[in-house]
Amino acid sequence: NAGVMQNPRHLVRRRGQEARLRCSPMKGHSHVYWYRQLPEEGLKFMVYLQKENIIDESGMPKERFSAEFPKEGPSILRIQQVVRGDSAAYFCASSPTESGNTEAFFGQGTRLTVV
Amino acid sequence: AQSVTQPDIHITVSEGASLELRCNYSYGATPYLFWYVQSPGQGLQLLLKYFSGDTLVQGIKGFEAEFKRSQSSFNLRKPSVHWSDAAEYFCAADSTDSWGKLQFGAGTQVVVTP
């Protein structure tokens, strides 16, 4: 059973370009969470999705960031018109249910560098 | 506001010595509590978790943590560290009504010296 798969592992974008980060949850998991880790900081929650639904996007910046988890395929975190401050590691986690008393499994992250 | 605090940013410990990492939480009700480890350039691996019951929790790699309600703490311990334990450690909490959304502490960087 493969774990949470994120790709690419490393992504370099020039300022103003778009970044698309992909996350395939563990088999049987329908709940996906995205977190951002800025240098020297802990992880900050961004968004929680279920299939075809955004449940909680309270941690998402209001502009340029969007996320989706379609019926088929991976979850996508999209950052439009990237700026240097978007450089960070973006982690995806998945869980089998929405309840807090289950373990969330993390992917290895996508490290975005904006130049 | 809900928060998780790790007071120690950086800890240096000798190989074979004991290790304790501190974690305090501020929640209205006791949250679910977790400790994760992150090796350089890697993702997060769950060491252990506390949901309810026995306040002393055993995890992987020889780690354990003790939940103390009176102190709002969930400290991580290991009796004898190995060089491979050098990593960053994150305490996290999840309230019972937050849909599995984790709140992380800022992390503690552990350096192991020979």
Side-chain angles (χ1 to χ4, degrees):
Chain A
N1 187 11
V4 178
M5 304 300 292
Q6 289 189 248
N7 67 81
R9 291 288 307 278
H10 301 272
L11 182 62
V12 179
R13 283 289 177 266
R14 297 186 183 280
R15 282 178 293 171
Q17 290 184 319
E18 178 180 288
R20 292 171 69 88
L21 288 61
R22 296 175 184 76
C23 169
S24 296
M26 286 183 69
K27 187 176 182 180
H29 289 193
S30 58
H31 301 256
V32 166
Y33 307 82
W34 285 93
Y35 292 82
R36 177 166 63 176
Q37 184 180 30
L38 295 169
E40 308 298 325
E41 295 187 16
L43 280 74
K44 304 291 187 188
F45 167 80
M46 298 182 75
V47 62
Y48 163 40
L49 310 106
Q50 294 178 27
K51 286 284 187 181
E52 299 184 280
N53 285 301
I54 296 175
I55 307 302
D56 182 343
E57 56 181 348
S58 58
M60 288 278 272
K62 293 291 185 281
E63 297 177 346
R64 302 186 297 107
F65 284 72
S66 63
E68 63 176 5
F69 189 16
K71 187 176 181 180
E72 301 291 337
S75 175
I76 306 289
L77 179 67
R78 183 181 177 208
I79 311 173
Q80 295 179 291
Q81 300 176 321
V82 296
V83 300
R84 289 239 171 92
D86 297 332
S87 294
Y90 292 83
F91 289 95
C92 169
S94 72
S95 64
T97 72
E98 65 190 24
S99 172
N101 66 346
T102 60
E103 177 181 342
F105 293 83
F106 281 80
Q108 293 195 300
T110 294
R111 281 153 182 84
L112 172 66
T113 303
V114 179
V115 298
Chain B
Q2 298 172 339
S3 66
V4 176
T5 303
Q6 293 179 247
D8 304 305
I9 296 172
H10 188 274
I11 284 181
T12 299
V13 60
S14 298
E15 191 168 14
S18 64
L19 174 69
E20 180 166 12
L21 303 182
R22 295 184 290 165
C23 174
N24 294 95
Y25 63 88
S26 175
Y27 276 70
T30 300
Y32 304 123
L33 295 161
F34 307 81
W35 274 99
Y36 286 88
V37 61
Q38 183 181 31
S39 297
Q42 299 299 310
L44 279 76
Q45 182 181 23
L46 181 69
L47 288 174
L48 46 78
K49 59 192 180 225
Y50 172 77
F51 291 154
S52 64
D54 195 345
T55 57
L56 187 62
V57 180
Q58 300 298 320
I60 63 171
K61 302 186 179 187
F63 285 92
E64 67 178 24
E66 185 172 12
F67 169 67
K68 292 186 177 179
R69 185 190 304 275
S70 62
Q71 298 178 17
S72 297
S73 69
F74 187 56
N75 294 348
L76 181 72
R77 298 193 294 252
K78 185 168 184 177
S80 176
V81 298
H82 186 262
W83 63 266
S84 60
D85 293 323
E88 186 146 26
Y89 292 80
F90 292 97
C91 181
D94 176 14
S95 71
T96 55
D97 61 354
S98 70
W99 304 94
K101 181 172 75 178
L102 292 170
Q103 179 136 11
F104 283 85
T108 299
Q109 183 70 48
V110 172
V111 173
V112 181
T113 59

